[in-house]
Amino acid sequence: MNSKFKKIITACALMLGLGLAAGKVSAAEDTTPVITLGTSLTDSQRQGTLKVLKAALSDSSSYNTLTVTGSDLVTYLNPSGSTFTSSSGVWSSAAIEKTSSGSGINVRILNYDGQNNITTITANQYRNAAVTAGITDANIYVTSATPIDGSGALAGIYKAYAKSGEQLNQKQITAAQDELNTLSDITKENKGKDGYSDAQLNNAVAGAKKEMAEKGSSITKSEIVTIVNNEIKNNNLTNVITSSQKQQIVNILVEIRDSGALSSSSFKQQASKAMSAIQSSAKGIFAKLNTSANRNALQKLWDAIVNFFTNLFASFSK
């Protein structure tokens, strides 16, 4: 083989390699919204679910659909201890659309025929789980044609990411599921208690994640315990959360650390955005809490009062 022919072969190989690489990039960057539909929906329910989810999209002229089956529940949710089988039914459905960088994760649970049929998982629990799983900057919409816990919708979100070329880390998915189950159980145990809300708990956990990200993957369990104690105090949950529940929160945060989630450069930002979204969705609750935002607002008010009287007395002394 002469040198000229070798150069031609090499150039062709390089062009082929670049073509394959370009194909991979375009797949990973696909921003087309995805609607996931539970396999157990009837034809009528399927159409009704599509109508609800399409209406929420910023642009419903183009979207992809995926069917979520019992096998998907097994793949994505069973590693965290769930006991789904390939024949398990799936009704809860979701839509996910990418948003601009740094916008965070927005979650809305949508009514179906005027009723919220997601009986267990809250919007804030979906939001925290998404952050832990490694999802960034997205609008997530969830609904169900029949009353159900909402696990199928979350499995659908994970499947949608895998389909778009953004394979999520299974360790993070498992940690996200353990987190969701833990927070859901704590909310059930504290249902009706004065001074408790699911928003406070999820804000505390999101705040803990943000602080953990600031310290990095080498953060110790002892440091995590201190962070949890501070976040529980900041969210006025000291007299509500039991020692057992506190230990459960510490355990899931240790699992999140060990999953590799903290190594992501965007984790801190996504956790911070989650806190902002949680507080915005429950302003009446957080206006009364001793959060850093409220302390800053009070400090600004106090500074303004001090400056007013300082200037007033200064004018009298002239």
Side-chain angles (χ1 to χ4, degrees), residues 4-314:
K4 186 176 181 181
F5 188 66
K6 284 182 179 179
K7 289 179 180 178
I8 294 173
I9 293 295
T10 302
C12 288
L14 285 171
M15 289 177 67
L16 179 60
L18 288 172
L20 290 173
K24 288 181 181 178
V25 170
S26 62
E29 293 179 350
D30 185 8
T31 58
T32 305
V34 177
I35 293 178
T36 71
L37 299 166
T39 188
S40 304
L41 296 170
T42 65
D43 288 341
S44 174
Q45 289 173 335
R46 185 181 176 90
Q47 291 307 311
T49 300
L50 268 173
K51 182 179 179 180
V52 169
L53 293 173
K54 282 172 59 180
L57 295 175
S58 56
D59 180 7
S60 61
S61 61
S62 177
Y63 59 89
N64 297 321
T65 59
L66 289 175
T67 298
V68 181
T69 67
S71 295
D72 294 318
L73 300 182
V74 172
T75 297
Y76 295 107
L77 308 187
N78 277 15
S80 65
S82 296
T83 56
F84 294 108
T85 67
S86 58
S87 59
S88 293
V90 185
W91 289 268
S92 59
S93 305
I96 182 166
E97 59 181 355
K98 294 293 291 180
T99 53
S100 59
S101 178
S103 59
I105 297 168
N106 171 59
V107 180
R108 283 172 54 200
I109 296 178
L110 306 175
N111 287 349
Y112 185 95
D113 282 346
Q115 180 174 320
N116 175 12
N117 287 325
I118 304 298
T119 61
T120 303
I121 304 172
T122 67
N124 289 329
Q125 290 167 13
Y126 277 117
R127 182 180 285 110
N128 253 326
V131 171
T132 297
I135 295 172
T136 59
D137 305 320
N139 289 332
I140 297 173
Y141 307 104
V142 179
T143 194
S144 179
T146 188
I148 204 73
D149 71 336
S151 295
L154 200 55
I157 293 165
Y158 298 147
K159 183 176 181 178
Y161 263 75
K163 194 75 172 179
S164 68
E166 298 183 66
Q167 189 75 44
L168 299 172
N169 181 331
Q170 184 58 54
K171 283 187 177 181
Q172 287 181 240
I173 291 177
T174 300
Q177 287 305 115
D178 287 337
E179 174 187 8
L180 189 151
N181 292 335
T182 296
L183 300 189
S184 180
D185 286 344
I186 292 175
T187 287
K188 285 179 187 175
E189 291 166 5
N190 290 290
K191 187 176 182 180
K193 272 190 183 180
D194 288 339
Y196 178 86
S197 72
D198 181 74
Q200 288 165 261
L201 175 64
N202 277 274
N203 189 61
V205 171
K209 291 180 191 175
K210 177 176 174 289
E211 291 186 55
M212 286 168 60
E214 290 173 353
K215 290 185 176 293
S217 301
S218 61
I219 186 172
T220 65
K221 183 175 181 179
S222 176
E223 289 174 316
I224 291 174
V225 170
T226 299
I227 288 172
V228 169
N229 286 331
N230 289 336
E231 285 298 326
I232 287 175
K233 180 181 178 181
N234 290 343
N235 285 273
N236 283 12
L237 292 172
T238 303
N239 297 323
V240 180
I241 297 296
T242 66
S243 58
S244 174
Q245 291 167 346
K246 186 188 296 184
Q247 185 58 54
Q248 291 173 51
I249 295 170
V250 169
N251 290 343
I252 60 171
L253 291 174
V254 169
E255 184 180 359
I256 289 170
R257 178 200 65 184
D258 294 343
S259 73
L262 300 182
S263 63
S264 168
S265 60
S266 65
F267 188 84
K268 175 184 172 183
Q269 181 189 52
Q270 295 300 310
S272 180
K273 288 290 184 179
M275 289 181 70
S276 298
I278 292 168
Q279 293 177 26
S280 178
S281 67
K283 291 180 180 178
I285 293 172
F286 289 99
K288 304 173 185 177
L289 300 187
N290 185 34
T291 62
S292 58
N294 289 344
R295 290 194 296 274
N296 290 338
L298 288 172
Q299 185 62 50
K300 288 178 182 178
L301 177 61
W302 177 250
D303 290 343
I305 293 172
V306 170
N307 288 335
F308 172 78
F309 282 106
T310 299
N311 294 331
L312 182 64
F313 290 133

